[in-house]
Amino acid sequence: MPPVAKIRTPVPRQEPAARNPPPTNGEHEDGLKILFVSSECVPFAKVGGLADVVGGLSKALRRLGHDVRIIIPLYSLIDRALYGIKFVGPACVHMGAGMEHWIGLHTALLDGEVPVWFVEFDAYFGRPGIYDGPTGHYMDNAFRFALLSKAALQICKDQNFIPHIMHAHDWPTATLPVFLKTWDRVLSPLSNTASVLTIHNIGYQGVYNANVMPYLGLGAEHFTPDKFEDHGKANLLKAGVSFADALTTVSPTHAKEIIEPVGGMGLAMFLNNRRADLFGILNGVDYSQWNPATDKSISAHFTPNSLRGKAVCKAALQNHFHLEERADVPLFGVVSRFVHQKGFSLLREALPSALDNMVMQFVVLGNGDMDTENFFRYLAGAYPGRVGAHIGFSPELSHLIEAGCDFFLMPSLYEPCGLNQIYSLKYGTLPVVRATGGLDDTVQNYDEATGNGTGFKFWEPAGRALYYCIGWAVATWFDRPQHILQLRQQAMAQNFDWTVSAQHYVDVYRHALRKKLAAPA
Ligand code: ADP
Ligand code: GLC
């Protein structure tokens, strides 16, 4: 019997049968029980790629034979009738300072495959938006998502689902590994459960006023620089980095970037301390949603061997944005949250001169930063028939842009992985990217001598570098059309199916379990 079982013999409050046996090397080959806890998941609630990853990875793990379930908040924007969401029952969640919250537990299946639990708590989740409301960022986000994380533990106990792994995603659920190690840990049936924290975006760390600590039920011994404390505030992601049994980020290159001072955005030293437990696993794609041969949101289907449908999609997209319907003019696209990370400073510098000097069209879908929104409104007005802008969030239109464009622009300043460039590859829409993070890992640079590659890369985070890279793509379009066709076919042949990455996650789960066994709570 491993030592972990020996020291956990006090009278259990729960049936010991509900507890998983402690893991040993090579155990659970047949299937792990895994709980994802996340603030987003497609198709229920999405702001960015986090939602796509939680949905796609959970399905892939399930197909590998693992019992995955997901917990997300029941935001008021989620259409309960559409997804057949059913009430299960109430649950009582104990926060610190004697706070008790009664939540409603609801459930539905994700794409008929993955059980999802929804946490209903109207005071926190019965509002418009996910992180932001009409007047901006919700000031009590630390409280809202701490409740979600704590509720996850209670739900597991109440529903007798005792996972081997609890998998937290980004700062909103970074307190999950903390609760798992600090809450009732000796008596809890979750005492053998290991935690994994995936850092999708280190630019968002969840730094809030230290008055959240009593609500978390954590004393001053946890408000230290190696755990929560960060310049007098509470940094939730930092605490997760300290407490999780294993850490991942979403591409191998980004795993190297975040242990360096600039890429680590204040956490490099702490991530370096956890180097042995930090893994970079490339995001995959859910090709049941993103495939031009079957996509329900596009005007015509196409494959690498039959690209006629792509020309139909391009015409439909030009039509949608009232652009000149020209098959011979290269069409560039952007779909993005309008945030600094995505390199809009570069686009704002490069696009006007590119449009002045090159034969090209441009369409954009996105929202966020108001200056950026206004810039694109201005650009559409200044270049009628050549530029189209849709300021807003539209999954349907994002598919049509992937299908109808010739080139997709992602000049990100940093990009942990990025999904749109991977979707673009599948749709034969050649990515024009800055070589950083996952963009560098997923796009192979064009070689003019041979026509090899899948897209166009530049390195310098400067508008002029983007400008020249757009110029390179436009020149290739007009001067070497046979290479454009070759690049397209090479791009469409790439396979980023989730299965391979899901297998890497299983390896990390086993690492976390071994770690837990070696150093119990
Ligand atoms: P991030 O998570 O940093 O936003 P990713 O490239 O990983 O970047 O994922 C972005 C996801 O969000 C993609 O699925 C993209 O299509 C989607 N998306 C971003 N902005 C919009 C929008 N305005 N409308 C529809 N989908 C969007
Ligand atoms: C993030 C990153 C993006 C990544 C996504 C999903 O928000 O910005 O690069 O693809 O999460 O992991």
Side-chain angles (χ1 to χ4, degrees):
M1 182 74 80
V4 63
K6 278 195 196 135
I7 51 168
R8 296 222 172 92
T9 41
V11 187
R13 276 200 310 225
Q14 296 267 140
E15 272 299 302
R19 188 190 296 186
N20 277 318
T24 57
N25 283 353
E27 246 188 87
H28 313 302
E29 293 294 335
D30 295 339
L32 297 167
K33 288 186 188 163
I34 303 157
L35 183 75
F36 279 22
V37 187
S38 172
S39 50
E40 300 178 36
C41 175
V42 281
F44 311 109
K46 167 166 169 172
V47 172
L50 167 63
D52 300 36
V53 171
V54 168
L57 174 60
S58 62
K59 287 197 279 179
L61 286 166
R62 212 155 171 101
R63 284 174 206 155
L64 290 177
H66 304 285
D67 182 359
V68 187
R69 308 189 187 190
I70 302 171
I71 293 187
I72 63 169
L74 188 56
Y75 302 109
S76 52
L77 56 80
I78 296 179
D79 187 334
R80 300 183 195 198
L82 179 68
Y83 299 117
I85 297 174
K86 305 249 171 355
F87 182 65
V88 178
C92 184
V93 185
H94 300 267
M95 300 305 293
M99 297 277 281
E100 270 185 6
H101 293 316
W102 281 92
I103 60 160
L105 182 62
H106 297 247
T107 192
L109 276 183
L110 164 62
D111 290 343
E113 289 184 71
V114 186
V116 181
W117 279 310
F118 298 86
V119 171
E120 178 185 30
F121 189 66
D122 276 351
Y124 285 171
F125 305 125
R127 320 171 175 179
I130 293 180
Y131 310 108
D132 311 292
T135 52
H137 206 57
Y138 291 131
M139 299 307 282
D140 58 351
N141 275 344
F143 293 77
R144 297 169 73 224
F145 294 109
L147 171 71
L148 175 73
S149 305
K150 193 77 177 275
L153 275 68
Q154 190 64 46
I155 292 165
C156 285
K157 288 175 91 170
D158 291 355
Q159 300 299 313
N160 200 17
F161 178 73
I162 308 302
H164 298 101
I165 297 290
M166 282 197 169
H167 190 160
H169 296 267
D170 268 348
W171 73 264
T173 52
T175 50
L176 182 68
V178 184
F179 291 139
L180 201 52
K181 282 216 171 110
T182 55
W183 177 63
D184 270 0
R185 64 183 190 277
V186 175
L187 297 179
S188 164
L190 299 169
S191 55
N192 291 326
T193 298
S195 62
V196 173
L197 170 65
T198 293
I199 301 173
H200 296 263
N201 201 327
I202 200 159
Y204 302 81
Q205 298 183 7
V207 182
Y208 290 96
N209 196 301
N211 69 6
V212 71
M213 295 301 288
Y215 186 72
L216 301 179
L218 299 171
E221 73 279 15
H222 293 294
F223 196 65
T224 53
D226 58 328
K227 295 179 187 166
F228 277 90
E229 199 273 335
D230 182 356
H231 297 85
K233 297 210 158 198
N235 183 325
L236 306 191
L237 189 67
K238 183 180 183 182
V241 166
S242 163
F243 278 85
D245 293 302
L247 302 164
T248 70
T249 188
V250 289
S251 68
T253 292
H254 196 59
K256 291 184 204 138
E257 291 170 346
I258 59 176
I259 56 172
E260 295 295 331
V262 173
M265 301 194 196
L267 297 187
M269 188 176 83
F270 305 97
L271 287 161
N272 253 300
N273 291 341
R274 300 294 319 269
R275 246 178 132 142
D277 305 312
L278 172 65
F279 304 89
I281 303 176
L282 203 59
N283 281 338
V285 173
D286 183 350
Y287 286 123
S288 73
Q289 306 297 315
W290 295 95
N291 182 349
T294 53
D295 193 326
K296 292 189 200 85
S297 309
I298 62 179
S299 318
H301 292 148
F302 54 95
T303 63
N305 299 325
S306 162
L307 285 167
R308 232 211 79 61
K310 186 161 176 69
V312 175
C313 291
K314 178 170 176 178
L317 186 60
Q318 287 171 323
N319 233 310
H320 178 93
F321 279 109
H322 308 294
L323 307 185
E324 289 168 32
E325 209 179 299
R326 298 267 305 266
D328 58 324
V329 174
L331 174 53
F332 288 72
V334 165
V335 177
S336 182
R337 296 180 293 122
F338 291 171
V339 290
H340 184 64
Q341 168 198 350
K342 301 293 178 181
F344 285 103
S345 48
L346 276 57
L347 280 167
R348 288 171 68 165
E349 200 184 320
L351 275 175
S353 17
L355 285 158
D356 286 341
N357 299 325
M358 302 176 203
V359 176
M360 63 177 284
Q361 296 178 340
F362 172 75
V363 295
V364 58
L365 163 66
N367 57 1
D369 170 62
M370 217 138 58
D371 277 355
T372 307
E373 290 186 356
N374 286 336
F375 167 74
F376 286 125
R377 286 192 188 101
Y378 149 79
L379 209 65
Y383 297 90
R386 294 181 62 207
V387 173
H390 181 113
I391 308 302
F393 191 89
S394 166
E396 285 254 311
L397 185 55
S398 74
H399 285 247
L400 186 59
I401 291 178
E402 289 293 0
C405 283
D406 300 301
F407 299 98
F408 195 91
L409 294 173
M410 282 182 84
S412 306
L413 300 179
Y414 77 95
E415 195 62 74
C417 181
L419 292 171
N420 278 117
Q421 84 283 8
I422 314 184
Y423 301 153
S424 301
L425 292 170
K426 187 72 179 170
Y427 286 76
T429 298
L430 302 175
V432 175
V433 302
R434 194 172 92 76
T436 180
L439 296 174
D440 203 16
D441 289 343
T442 52
V443 177
Q444 296 158 33
N445 204 14
Y446 167 47
D447 176 352
E448 275 187 26
T450 60
N452 285 340
T454 58
F456 298 81
K457 284 187 185 180
F458 66 99
W459 278 259
E460 199 191 346
R464 69 175 172 278
L466 171 62
Y467 173 84
Y468 287 124
C469 202
I470 293 174
W472 188 24
V474 171
T476 307
W477 173 269
F478 286 109
D479 300 344
R480 294 174 296 281
Q482 76 286 4
H483 275 181
I484 294 288
L485 188 61
Q486 185 181 336
L487 289 168
R488 246 183 200 163
Q489 272 158 351
Q490 285 153 187
M492 293 177 83
Q494 301 292 304
N495 186 0
F496 290 91
D497 186 85
W498 263 114
T499 315
V500 178
S501 296
Q503 194 54 61
H504 290 311
Y505 274 100
V506 174
D507 295 340
V508 171
Y509 295 153
R510 296 227 161 85
H511 172 92
L513 286 166
R514 280 195 295 275
K515 182 106 190 162
K516 178 86 183 177
L517 176 62

